[in-house]
Amino acid sequence: MTQTLTIRRPDDWHLHLRDGAMLQAVLPETTRHFGRAIVMPNLVPPVVTGADAAAYRARIDAAMPEGAPFEPLMMLYLTEETDGADVVAAHKAGIITAVKLYPAGATTNSASGVRDMAKVRPVLEAMAEAGVPLCCHGEVTDAEIDIFDREAVFIDRVLEPLRRDVPELKVIMEHVTTRDAVDYVQTADRNLAATITTHHLIINRNHILVGGIKPHYYCLPVAKREEHRKALMAAATSGDARFFLGTDSAPHTDPNKEQACGCAGVFSATNTMSCLAHVFEDAGALDKLEAFTSLNGPAYYGLPVNEGTITLTKGDPVAYPDKLMTGEGPVTLFDPGFPLLWHVEA
Ligand code: NCD
Ligand code: ZN
């Protein structure tokens, strides 16, 4: 019996497209299946002003595969020097959709991030007033905090005070990896949602560390214990509108991943929808896939759902390549560790 599922064209609410030759190579991997994506601003140098975002958007448009029904949703990288008026003007002009908070030093290219939340308070208040959402990389960076605890500590030290001080600010806690974050998001009746990546629904920290170190499973926030993965699965497959897909597909070349100090990031744009159909089916929740990938995100952002659809069909294993060849070098595709039987037709 053929199993087929047609859903609204999905969106990716957290995506790294990079720039130059890497952008050229990875963009079609997303536009093939997705209608929109929030494009991360952590370039070198970062996308900090409305003018930067407009210029980056033009480079993405120039790399766009012909006729792709895809809209990049741009964002600004919040720094302690960010001008609230520029943010609000860029949002009003339709140049940006959101702003990104990176605690300084939290992850790849986050050196210009925020050290002192008090310094960005006026910008956050202007954003709340103008309805500009804030996407948070939710990890503290203090050297004394264990890397596996950084997300939970962020909730107590940064997120909760922020939401108390600026309650009208629309917040997205990105790529949540813990039961603590899931529980916290579920306590909010408004102005808080979370994205979950494909890989955090599939791997736990054993995948990174048991039987030899696996650099291609290393990303930030780092995958946690199995009990946390289960909490993420429960949230993603529940249909709860506060949870939606942000793949955090983050390409790095193999030489940059496979070295003494390997970069953080999992590249999953190519096979994400096949991976998700597999795990949702496993959980007996295929009927909740569309909410997670295509409905909850637009509802939270106040955007219409995509017009088009994609159709997933279960059959023989899909032959995804192991690597994407790019002008900067090969990029290894996320290996879920099981055959992918769900084919995607867009
Ligand atoms: C991202 C990257 O490579 O830009 N890496 C990652 O592990 N997720 C940065 C980020 O989103 O944290
Ligand atoms: Zn990311």
Side-chain angles (χ1 to χ4, degrees):
M1 189 190 86
T2 321
Q3 259 182 289
T4 295
L5 178 68
T6 296
I7 61 173
R8 289 281 182 165
R9 196 172 171 85
D11 298 306
D12 185 348
W13 300 97
H14 182 136
L15 175 69
H16 298 269
L17 285 176
R18 314 299 193 203
D19 215 338
M22 186 63 84
L23 165 64
Q24 197 74 41
V26 300
L27 182 59
E29 301 305 298
T30 287
T31 63
R32 199 173 295 134
H33 299 159
F34 290 87
R36 291 167 293 199
I38 291 258
V39 182
M40 288 297 127
N42 63 332
L43 305 180
V44 187
V47 178
V48 291
T49 64
D52 294 342
Y56 185 27
R57 165 75 196 246
R59 299 199 294 282
I60 294 169
D61 287 345
M64 198 72 75
E66 187 112 355
F70 179 79
E71 185 189 2
L73 304 175
M74 308 309 293
M75 77 188 327
L76 297 183
Y77 182 125
L78 183 64
T79 75
E80 292 181 1
E81 283 74 50
T82 295
D83 172 10
D86 179 60
V87 172
V88 170
H91 188 259
K92 224 175 175 172
I95 297 166
I96 63 156
T97 299
V99 170
K100 173 81 181 220
L101 168 68
Y102 286 106
T107 185
T108 309
N109 303 334
S110 62
S112 330
V114 175
R115 267 159 244 280
D116 178 1
M117 287 297 289
K119 295 228 172 84
V120 295
R121 175 81 176 264
V123 179
L124 298 176
E125 281 169 354
M127 286 167 53
E129 167 99 31
V132 186
L134 179 74
C135 298
C136 297
H137 182 109
E139 288 191 290
V140 295
T141 55
D142 320 40
E144 74 274 15
I145 305 295
D146 189 278
I147 192 164
F148 290 100
D149 298 333
R150 288 177 172 199
E151 183 171 287
V153 174
F154 178 87
I155 296 170
D156 294 340
R157 285 200 193 163
V158 183
L159 195 51
E160 177 59 22
L162 167 68
R163 295 185 55 242
R164 206 174 39 227
D165 293 346
V166 196
E168 293 310 312
L169 183 64
K170 200 173 239 232
V171 176
I172 298 100
M173 191 176 179
E174 300 194 276
H175 43 46
V176 293
T177 59
T178 57
R179 172 183 297 283
D180 312 64
V182 166
D183 289 349
Y184 181 71
V185 170
Q186 283 170 341
T187 65
D189 52 10
R190 59 195 282 272
N191 287 343
L192 183 64
T195 62
I196 303 178
T197 76
T198 306
H199 51 282
H200 287 120
L201 292 175
I202 295 172
I203 62 164
N204 61 38
R205 64 194 198 177
N206 279 17
H207 291 82
I208 312 172
L209 296 169
V210 173
I213 191 157
K214 313 289 193 321
H216 295 292
Y217 289 142
Y218 174 62
C219 67
L220 289 170
V222 69
K224 309 294 192 297
R225 290 174 180 274
E226 176 63 4
E227 66 181 270
H228 294 291
R229 188 195 67 83
K230 286 196 174 127
L232 302 177
M233 268 304 290
T237 59
S238 66
D240 185 329
R242 290 169 290 199
F243 297 94
F244 41 90
L245 175 65
T247 65
D248 196 10
S249 179
H252 293 277
T253 63
D254 286 352
N256 284 334
K257 294 284 295 174
E258 300 166 7
Q259 57 155 301
C261 184
C263 293
V266 167
F267 174 65
S268 63
T270 311
N271 60 6
T272 273
M273 290 310 299
S274 294
C275 289
L276 290 175
H278 181 107
V279 297
F280 273 64
E281 182 188 23
D282 250 13
L286 267 181
D287 61 324
K288 299 294 194 315
L289 181 65
E290 183 180 43
F292 182 66
T293 63
S294 318
L295 307 179
N296 295 349
Y300 188 71
Y301 274 89
L303 296 170
V305 300
N306 289 316
E307 282 295 326
T309 60
I310 63 168
T311 297
L312 296 137
T313 308
K314 198 174 171 188
D316 294 331
V318 190
Y320 285 111
D322 295 341
K323 294 175 196 301
L324 178 73
M325 296 306 163
T326 82
E328 293 183 16
V331 173
T332 293
L333 177 63
F334 173 60
D335 174 6
F338 42 76
L340 290 169
L341 306 180
W342 287 91
H343 297 244
V344 189
E345 263 169 75

